[in-house]
Amino acid sequence: AAGVIQSPRHLIKEKRETATLKCYPIPRHDTVYWYQQGPGQDPQFLISFYEKMQSDKGSIPDRFSAQQFSDYHSELNMSSLELGDSALYFCASSLGLKEYEQYFGPGTRLTVT
Amino acid sequence: GESVGLHLPTLSVQEGDNSIINCAYSNSASDYFIWYKQESGKGPQFIIDIRSNMDKRQGQRVTVLLNKTVKHLSLQIAATQPGDSAVYFCAESSNYKLTFGKGTLLTVNP
């Protein structure tokens, strides 16, 4: 079965650069969630979208923004990168606002040097 | 703020033994609780969930117990196998988002 696709899988950036992470949800899923997971930490909710509209916002820095497009894929844009942004970024998707039925992607490992 | 946490950060068991991973939560308004398994370099994988109006749910080799009186959640894995080695997270669901607790690293010794 098709799963959540994230790209790139690995990304290395320097401080103050920008990065764009992409997420392609499971076909027919209309809700996307973004999480940040630091080393040895639990995933922290950043932001979610339902039917292309922001549905909820968590601990997402102002330097980050995200959107969901008409084909339901989502992009997380990160600017003025800091060393502390180095983490695994997961995208999850669900059919409808069913946060309890989220399917996670493999993640993008972002390293800021 | 509201949070979900785990009592034990690490758990080491022998292959074939039963494993119990515990979790405490604080948001009494949460309506779903989910256990995830995360292997190294991979995203969290759904194991089992339980609604707040239940106290027990069984899956294949796994059982989740919910004690709302003391706000406690546990995951029991029967006949633990080496492939069960991973970090396990509990998460609570409310207001259309998940809040994860601290993970427990389960190591299964052959």
Side-chain angles (χ1 to χ4, degrees), chain A residues 9 33 35 37 41-43 45 56-57 90 97 99-100 102 104-106, chain B residues 32 34 36 38 41-44 89 93-98 100-102:
Chain A
R9 293 295 311 278
Y33 312 80
Y35 294 86
Q37 186 177 30
Q41 301 297 312
D42 56 288
F45 171 74
D56 204 352
K57 195 172 182 181
F90 290 106
L97 281 169
E99 71 285 2
Y100 48 88
Q102 293 181 38
F104 283 79
Chain B
Y32 264 96
I34 307 110
Y36 286 94
Q38 186 176 25
K42 296 184 179 180
F89 291 97
S93 162
S94 66
N95 296 325
Y96 307 115
K97 65 182 178 186
L98 290 179
F100 283 83
K102 301 302 180 185

Side-chain angles (χ1 to χ4, degrees), chain A:
Chain A
V4 176
I5 297 171
Q6 290 187 247
S7 68
R9 293 295 311 278
H10 301 271
L11 188 59
I12 300 175
K13 290 285 186 177
E14 294 186 355
K15 284 193 304 182
R16 293 179 288 278
E17 285 192 320
T18 62
T20 297
L21 309 185
K22 297 184 178 182
C23 170
Y24 297 87
I26 290 172
R28 295 193 307 115
H29 281 194
D30 51 12
T31 308
V32 169
Y33 312 80
W34 285 98
Y35 294 86
Q36 177 191 59
Q37 186 177 30
Q41 301 297 312
D42 56 288
Q44 293 289 321
F45 171 74
L46 293 177
I47 195 167
S48 60
F49 293 88
Y50 168 63
E51 282 290 344
K52 293 155 281 184
M53 299 288 290
Q54 181 181 308
S55 56
D56 204 352
K57 195 172 182 181
S59 52
I60 184 169
D62 291 340
R63 299 177 289 108
F64 295 5
S65 65
Q67 57 181 323
Q68 186 179 33
F69 295 86
S70 57
D71 64 351
Y72 297 113
H73 93 272
S74 178
E75 295 183 4
L76 177 65
N77 300 294
M78 311 161 72
S79 62
S80 302
L81 287 169
E82 301 173 357
L83 295 178
D85 295 329
S86 295
L88 270 170
Y89 289 84
F90 290 106
C91 171
S93 74
S94 67
L95 180 60
L97 281 169
K98 295 180 182 177
E99 71 285 2
Y100 48 88
E101 289 184 1
Q102 293 181 38
Y103 294 85
F104 283 79
T108 293
R109 181 172 293 281
L110 173 66
T111 303
V112 181
T113 62

Side-chain angles (χ1 to χ4, degrees), chain B residues 45-85:
Chain B
Q45 178 186 359
F46 172 91
I47 301 173
I48 192 168
D49 63 0
I50 187 167
R51 296 188 69 148
S52 59
N53 61 354
M54 302 169 66
D55 53 19
K56 181 179 181 179
R57 188 165 188 219
Q58 287 184 294
Q60 186 177 12
R61 283 201 306 118
V62 294
T63 300
V64 55
L65 299 177
L66 175 64
N67 186 331
K68 292 181 287 294
T69 302
V70 295
K71 296 181 182 175
H72 184 266
L73 191 68
S74 69
L75 175 70
Q76 300 178 2
I77 305 174
T80 314
Q81 303 168 1
D84 294 328
S85 294

